[in-house]
Amino acid sequence: MAYITPASAKDPYDVIVIGSGAAGGQSAYTLTMEGARVLMLEAGRNYDPRSETPMFKTNDQAPLRSAGTPDKPFGYYDATIDGGWAVPGEPYTNASSERGRDFKWWRARMLGGRTNHWGRISLRNGPYDFKPRSRDGLGFDWPISYEDVAPYYDKVEMLIGVYGTNEGLENTPNSPEGVLLPPPKARIGELLARQRGRKLGIPVIPAHRALLSKALDHRGLPAKLHPGNAKAQRILTEDMQSRAACFWATDCGRGCAIRANYQSTTVHLPPAMATGNLDIVTDAMAREITVDASGKATGVAYIDRTTGTEHRARARVVVLAASACETVRLLLNSKSGAHPHGLGNSSGLVGKYIMDTVGASWGGQIPLLEGYPPHNEDGAGGLHVYTPWWLYKEQLAGKLGFARGYHVEFGTGRGMPGYGSYGDDSRGSTSYGRRLREEARRYYGSFVYFTGRGEMIPNEDSYCEIDPKVVDKWGIPVLRFHWKWSDHELRQVAHMQKTFADWIAEMGCTSPRRPGSDGSKVIEPGGSIIHEVGGTIMGADRAKSVTDAHSRTWDAPNVFVADGGVFASNADKNPTLTIMALAWRASDHILSEMRKGNL
Amino acid sequence: MLAASAGVALARGMGQIDLRVPGSAPSARDGYGTDPDIIRTHAPGDFWPLTLTRAERRAVSALCDVIIPADDRSPSASALHVPDFIDEWISAPYAGHGADRTLVNAGLAWLDAESRRRYGSAFARATDAQRLELCEAMAPEAPPKSELELPSKFFRRVRNLTMVGFFTTPAGMKDLGYVGNVPLARFEGPPADLIARLGLADEVAW
């Protein structure tokens, strides 16, 4: 089994997985390693990070010094292929263009999806995050608790490799001893942020990111991950040996040719392919889940993007891992006699409660960091430290005016010079000649940049639906988005801004910009943090949710949602690690039900 | 859009990741597309034709070299082919670049006209002292007078593009003291004497 064409599909399969990113990769991995025969459909092209990653390339070797363009919004070297805020021929629409009411949707059309370009920040949800309504009366509780998911967080961390430490902070869970890899040393600006943060009562601790700060323990881990499964252990042992440890160069956002970081294409798919149980069809745009008269799924109808022809594949189980909103689109476009309003939509809630992460940023120039001796600060590409939310008690006591927290990410140090590295436009300097040269050398690396990432509470006004008029180039109806922030998010952003301004001043910034108090002016647009989840939320009551506690749709017993669609809340913690943990958990349930003959 | 993002990513790491240019505009038909060969090394002119005239190119080179002249550490901007990058930038078919093209074309026209009015010769043929004088007029410390708004905006834009073009070259990176982009067996963190000088020894906890 291997990469195949639609004509060579050997169906029926045990499971069809739609999507190849964090959710699809994890689902395919778990299912195939435990013996299930899986067909994966990926809408984009095949992609191999080993040969396609621009390792060590400098910005002067790229058009426009690698600055972002509509073709490559995050810069020329970003791993994203055929994606961005717009995908040619595949539009989406917004019901409103008003500021704060529109939604931006980042997509990628490539094997591995958006895992190829993300920041690799891998934070566990804590106990509060699964029961937010019980804590503050807002949003929804999940039908599962931290204890249900914790064993899967352990497994995912062991499989993909995550660096970090156990600090025992509130609602910031520890991992079991020996699971996390050692964190890289903090950069000089990160140490300064840590010192000055303490004066403000703000903790700074090692970040958790999915990349190998040292090689994985290929002797111990495979047996822990696949007890009693000799074949899976052998495959994983070999695969873990073929992943190199990070050599501290080349931003993770470009992908990783040595497979030191987590991408679905570096971690999940190679061992899954090695089982011989996985077939992958790329350029396969899923259009509809096909069902029988009882409403049970029979397979998937999809379009071969290279020819425009439609194909069908059959399976006992369908796993949706297309990303939260693409999964909504597919369910709503799967109308039948048994599911007249779309598959899974008897509650009318498919597409409802879309959440993104709340984002705002603030930066400043720090004289203390001017002109320090040159040393290599590339490190692990992204941040080495972060600040988990630290005001749980004050918040619960009602002292903050907003109900949910945020964490803080930092940008510091002397990264590879690129478009936007200098900050001159904002400083307003017009120097030239010798003075410019002196200033550039002095200021390079002396800027710090704080980024807040906060929890959004699901609301009735943030959702997506099928646009009644617009179709994509394959004739498939597209999504229309509705968006609205609540005061909780706007006040949260105002709090971020004030905190960051105070912090930057504490670090010695002599020319701080002071923030306003109106969060609506600085909040980043919905969707722009690329953490959109919800739309097929899980719950204990089928009238109030789309999926059950095992991520199975209430309406079709053999359809599962493995992506972020099932999130009933969107904690400030970046969602990818939780997506993988829940996908593994859902796959375990599928395997168990198959063995019992229930699927 | 593009000009506004220049000041956004003040630092490395997440700052770089966040250097996004939101907007749902479709791909420029003549751009490099959504799946270019990112392994290959590209030079200005590979993807779209350059548009500066020979005279404009001479003026840009002269201006770049006032902005970043050679010194004892590295060559001048034009010696590192920064004018090629500026030409590529203003000739790009993407939204935002058109505005820069208009600004740079108008600015260059103003520059040559002003140089001829003051000194009787095009900017590229003016003396070093005359070029400095013209730059001083375009880049006053105080906010510019209204008749100098265009030249001032033009100068800031070319200044920023010159910096981007210059400091992204190997010689420019070396000039700034960027010493990364090499494989390391271990990541050492900051040097001990720097940590001590900033009083941060107590922060080194891992």
Side-chain angles (χ1 to χ4, degrees):
Chain A
M1 301 180 113
Y3 296 104
I4 61 166
T5 60
S8 53
K10 293 175 283 290
D11 66 349
Y13 289 85
D14 293 325
V15 183
I16 294 173
V17 175
I18 303 171
S20 65
Q26 184 63 63
S27 301
Y29 172 90
T30 302
L31 293 165
T32 58
M33 290 290 263
E34 297 299 330
R37 293 176 65 254
V38 172
L39 174 67
M40 172 179 276
L41 300 176
E42 163 52 48
R45 76 156 166 89
N46 201 344
Y47 166 73
D48 183 356
R50 286 170 301 185
S51 60
E52 297 194 60
T53 306
M55 306 296 283
F56 300 111
K57 300 285 285 186
T58 51
N59 290 319
D60 64 321
Q61 297 171 325
L64 305 174
R65 271 14 184 206
S66 192
T69 68
D71 282 333
K72 282 274 195 172
F74 278 32
Y76 190 71
Y77 291 133
D78 178 49
T80 301
I81 290 168
D82 293 333
W85 303 116
V87 174
E90 300 184 32
Y92 59 92
T93 63
N94 271 291
S96 168
S97 57
E98 202 181 311
R99 182 177 163 80
R101 301 300 303 270
D102 63 329
F103 180 85
K104 294 190 181 306
W105 191 16
W106 181 279
R107 291 169 292 174
R109 292 286 180 248
M110 64 191 298
L111 192 68
R114 299 184 293 185
T115 65
N116 296 305
H117 106 133
W118 66 304
R120 274 80 185 177
I121 298 172
S122 302
L123 307 174
R124 294 182 176 212
N125 278 7
Y128 303 167
D129 301 322
F130 290 99
K131 304 291 176 190
R133 188 175 183 85
S134 297
R135 188 170 149 81
D136 61 23
L138 298 166
F140 308 109
D141 284 350
W142 299 50
I144 53 178
S145 65
Y146 176 71
E147 285 67 35
D148 295 314
V149 186
Y152 292 98
Y153 280 132
D154 300 349
K155 287 188 201 204
V156 171
E157 288 174 349
M158 286 190 272
L159 174 68
I160 69 176
V162 175
Y163 72 65
T165 54
N166 291 322
E167 301 287 327
L169 297 178
E170 187 173 12
N171 199 38
T172 305
N174 288 348
S175 300
E177 201 56 40
V179 167
L180 296 174
L181 300 171
K185 290 182 189 302
R187 302 182 181 94
I188 195 70
E190 294 174 329
L191 291 174
L192 185 64
R194 187 165 195 260
Q195 182 189 57
R196 303 307 164 93
R198 185 176 296 109
K199 294 186 180 174
L200 300 170
I202 305 173
V204 174
I205 63 174
H208 289 223
R209 291 183 67 232
L211 66 93
L212 305 186
S213 55
K214 67 173 198 183
L216 287 170
D217 171 17
H218 65 270
R219 289 187 181 84
L221 291 172
K224 286 183 189 163
L225 291 170
H226 300 284
N229 183 341
K231 180 185 171 187
Q233 290 178 28
R234 177 178 51 75
I235 289 169
L236 189 54
T237 300
E238 278 176 25
D239 197 73
M240 283 184 166
Q241 285 176 284
S242 70
R243 291 185 65 198
C246 181
F247 54 39
W248 316 108
T250 299
D251 268 343
C252 296
R254 298 179 177 196
C256 191
I258 62 169
R259 298 167 62 209
N261 70 19
Y262 166 78
Q263 304 167 224
S264 174
T265 42
T266 58
V267 176
H268 283 137
L269 297 182
M273 289 296 264
T275 64
N277 294 329
L278 178 62
D279 279 350
I280 300 177
V281 182
T282 54
D283 293 300
M285 182 79 192
R287 185 182 62 75
E288 182 181 350
I289 297 162
T290 54
V291 298
D292 65 16
S294 74
K296 215 175 140 188
T298 55
V300 178
Y302 65 97
I303 290 161
D304 178 348
R305 290 161 52 102
T306 62
T307 62
T309 53
E310 182 162 313
H311 299 267
R312 284 168 191 249
R314 290 170 298 153
R316 292 154 72 187
V317 175
V318 173
V319 171
L320 290 154
S323 84
C325 297
E326 203 72 76
T327 287
V328 165
R329 181 183 175 204
L330 198 43
L331 288 170
L332 293 178
N333 280 331
S334 299
K335 288 184 184 167
S336 62
H339 306 289
H341 305 293
L343 200 160
N345 199 24
S346 63
S347 61
L349 293 178
V350 172
K352 300 294 193 289
Y353 309 119
I354 301 289
M355 298 158 267
D356 189 24
T357 290
V358 181
S361 303
W362 205 252
Q365 194 271 336
I366 310 297
L368 269 175
L369 295 175
E370 288 175 15
Y372 55 80
H375 61 278
N376 188 332
E377 293 191 275
D378 283 1
L383 72 177
H384 290 186
V385 303
Y386 88 116
T387 290
W389 179 235
W390 68 101
L391 296 170
Y392 285 105
K393 289 182 176 62
E394 292 81 350
Q395 190 159 53
L396 194 60
K399 290 178 182 168
L400 300 184
F402 57 98
R404 303 285 169 78
Y406 59 89
H407 73 258
V408 188
E409 302 172 4
F410 306 93
T412 69
R414 292 176 174 168
M416 181 188 286
Y419 189 81
S421 291
Y422 313 104
D424 325 285
D425 282 5
S426 61
R427 291 173 54 74
S429 173
T430 56
S431 65
Y432 54 89
R434 182 185 299 174
R435 203 177 121 216
L436 180 150
R437 279 179 164 283
E438 284 167 4
E439 284 180 1
R441 289 165 190 155
R442 178 158 27 110
Y443 294 138
Y444 173 56
S446 72
F447 296 90
V448 299
Y449 193 70
F450 290 73
T451 299
R453 292 288 179 256
E455 176 167 354
M456 172 189 178
I457 300 168
N459 67 60
E460 303 293 330
D461 298 310
S462 298
Y463 64 98
C464 57
E465 61 187 347
I466 296 297
D467 189 305
K469 292 185 187 137
V470 182
V471 297
D472 68 11
K473 68 175 173 185
W474 318 110
I476 307 171
V478 308
L479 288 177
R480 176 168 67 187
F481 290 92
H482 300 254
W483 197 259
K484 194 174 182 183
W485 300 109
S486 77
D487 286 344
H488 288 289
E489 288 84 41
L490 299 178
R491 288 184 196 137
Q492 182 194 67
V493 157
H495 190 274
M496 285 177 192
Q497 298 262 300
K498 183 180 180 311
T499 300
F500 300 162
D502 290 348
W503 202 337
I504 289 165
E506 195 65 54
M507 288 174 75
C509 179
T510 50
S511 54
R513 295 176 296 139
R514 295 306 306 179
S517 56
D518 183 356
S520 70
K521 295 210 168 102
V522 292
I523 195 166
E524 301 206 31
S528 67
I529 311 302
I530 322 181
H531 289 173
E532 75 280 2
V533 297
T536 51
I537 66 168
M538 64 160 64
D541 178 350
R542 64 179 299 153
K544 294 179 179 170
S545 57
V546 176
T547 46
D548 69 12
H550 287 107
S551 310
R552 183 206 309 244
T553 59
W554 288 109
D555 297 348
N558 61 343
V559 175
F560 289 75
V561 177
D563 57 39
V566 300
F567 282 39
S569 71
N570 191 16
D572 70 271
K573 286 90 168 183
N574 309 37
T576 308
L577 187 75
T578 301
I579 289 173
M580 289 191 260
L582 294 176
W584 196 319
R585 186 171 174 274
S587 291
D588 268 4
H589 185 69
I590 291 169
L591 290 162
S592 157
E593 289 293 287
M594 279 181 161
R595 284 176 192 134
K596 287 183 206 156
N598 294 338
L599 278 173
Chain B
M1 176 173 71
L2 290 161
S5 71
V8 170
L10 300 174
R12 56 151 309 97
M14 288 313 298
Q16 296 285 357
I17 296 271
D18 271 332
L19 210 171
R20 59 170 67 94
V21 183
S24 308
S27 297
R29 197 176 303 159
D30 303 310
Y32 50 65
T34 54
D35 188 12
D37 179 358
I38 60 176
I39 300 292
R40 199 172 77 88
T41 293
H42 296 280
D46 282 0
F47 282 113
W48 48 83
L50 306 182
T51 57
L52 286 178
T53 64
R54 229 181 288 172
E56 285 172 330
R57 176 62 79 98
R58 279 196 296 272
V60 166
S61 289
L63 182 54
C64 281
D65 283 353
V66 180
I67 292 168
I68 304 187
D71 73 356
D72 53 4
R73 222 193 273 190
S74 55
S76 73
S78 72
L80 295 182
H81 309 292
V82 170
D84 290 346
F85 161 65
I86 293 176
D87 200 349
E88 175 195 43
W89 183 273
I90 64 154
S91 305
Y94 298 107
H97 292 261
D100 279 344
R101 180 160 57 248
T102 305
L103 175 64
V104 168
N105 288 342
L108 288 171
W110 178 90
L111 189 60
D112 260 356
E114 184 67 9
S115 183
R116 284 178 206 282
R117 188 180 70 79
R118 290 191 190 197
Y119 316 118
S121 64
F123 181 73
R125 292 183 190 279
T127 65
D128 287 353
Q130 290 168 339
R131 288 178 190 171
L132 281 171
E133 220 171 71
L134 275 167
C135 282
E136 204 51 47
M138 291 189 289
E141 292 283 348
K145 294 177 199 153
S146 60
E147 70 268 23
L148 282 174
E149 262 175 21
L150 165 78
S152 168
K153 216 176 147 196
F154 159 71
F155 181 78
R156 284 164 189 263
R157 194 72 194 111
V158 173
R159 176 183 179 276
N160 191 252
L161 289 173
T162 302
M163 291 181 77
V164 171
F166 183 86
F167 289 116
T168 48
T169 62
M173 290 193 283
K174 191 173 166 206
D175 182 296
L176 284 180
Y178 173 70
V179 294
N181 202 37
V182 290
L184 302 174
R186 284 166 11 119
F187 178 72
E188 302 286 356
D193 54 348
L194 174 62
I195 292 172
R197 176 159 68 79
L198 295 183
L200 296 172
D202 290 348
E203 303 303 328
V204 183
W206 64 91

